[in-house]
Amino acid sequence: MIEKYKKENANDVVFNLEYNSEREHLIIPEYGRHLQKLIEQATIIEDDEKRNKAAKYIIQVMGSLNPHLRDVPDFQHKLWDQLFIMSDFKLKADSPYPIPSREVLQLRPDVLKYPQNYPKYRYYGNNIKYMIDVANKWEEGEMKSALVKVIANHMKKSYLSWNKDTVKDDVIFEHLYELSDGKLNLLQSTEELLNTTDLLRTNKRVSNKTGVLGQPKIQSNKNIKNGKPKPFQKK
């Protein structure tokens, strides 16, 4: 016999409200509290067959949150691992994948060793230092001279990008001599590097191309008429 519905007292409903601060901690909050309770109910099922059936049902519910990944094998493995993690490793179910352990989950990764480079002239960057080290190992000849000239021009370009609007070639040659431990000596050379104006023009052109993504370019006044941009015309 079906019991007749009894209207609840509003005061009782308010008195019995559950607040998140009083509830148990959600292990993986992305799935919500209802799924957490489903897993807790499946954990206490005594019958093995019913418990495995409940576990598979919960996996289907978890996969429905990401239907485009539901049938991917790697994603299925992830769902099963999350199922055992959310059960606090208390669920006993037949998983098609190795069951994770609490010890493995709590393992900390090895500390990643970052290259600690503290160059004196940071505006040149680490790549310049690598190029200088390579040039030091080359035998004397035209190839090495050409490489050294390329390095010096690139150093001048980097210098102008982050420092003054002009720089003498002697300054670049001194820095090159210092960074190469005195092996690349252009101090007495009559070689001239690229013109400062050309390098500044190149830097400006590159900076315009590598602007912030998503920002539209400002149209010039020539392309605007009566408050509306002119349609694109092929030349």
Side-chain angles (χ1 to χ4, degrees), residues 218-229:
I218 300 175
Q219 295 181 347
S220 61
N221 295 331
K222 297 179 180 180
N223 295 329
I224 298 178
K225 185 177 181 181
N226 299 327
K228 297 182 180 180

Side-chain angles (χ1 to χ4, degrees), residues 143-167:
M143 293 292 293
K144 182 174 182 179
S145 300
L147 177 60
V148 172
K149 185 177 180 181
V150 170
I151 294 173
N153 280 309
H154 196 75
M155 290 174 63
K156 186 174 182 179
K157 179 180 176 182
S158 299
Y159 188 100
L160 293 172
S161 297
W162 301 102
N163 291 277
K164 302 178 181 179
D165 292 338
T166 181
V167 59

Side-chain angles (χ1 to χ4, degrees), residues 164-188:
K164 302 178 181 179
D165 292 338
T166 181
V167 59
K168 294 183 178 180
D169 293 349
D170 295 341
V171 176
I172 302 299
F173 294 156
E174 290 177 3
H175 292 173
L176 177 62
Y177 181 81
E178 184 177 354
L179 293 175
S180 64
D181 298 328
K183 297 180 180 179
L184 303 180
N185 189 356
L186 296 179
L187 297 177
Q188 305 300 328

Side-chain angles (χ1 to χ4, degrees), residues 82-148:
Q82 291 178 338
L83 174 63
F84 289 108
I85 293 172
M86 293 174 67
S87 69
D88 197 20
F89 302 97
K90 297 177 182 178
L91 179 64
K92 304 297 181 183
D94 297 333
S95 172
Y97 307 97
I99 299 176
S101 62
R102 190 189 305 273
E103 292 75 15
V104 174
L105 185 66
Q106 293 178 348
L107 285 176
R108 292 187 176 183
D110 297 333
V111 179
L112 184 62
K113 296 181 179 179
Y114 287 93
Q116 301 296 333
N117 296 324
Y118 303 99
K120 183 177 180 180
Y121 307 108
R122 295 193 176 186
Y123 42 83
Y124 290 135
N126 291 326
N127 290 334
I128 284 291
K129 188 63 174 68
Y130 297 150
M131 293 173 66
I132 292 174
D133 293 339
V134 171
N136 287 336
K137 299 177 183 178
W138 282 21
E139 296 181 357
E140 297 294 335
E142 294 182 359
M143 293 292 293
K144 182 174 182 179
S145 300
L147 177 60
V148 172

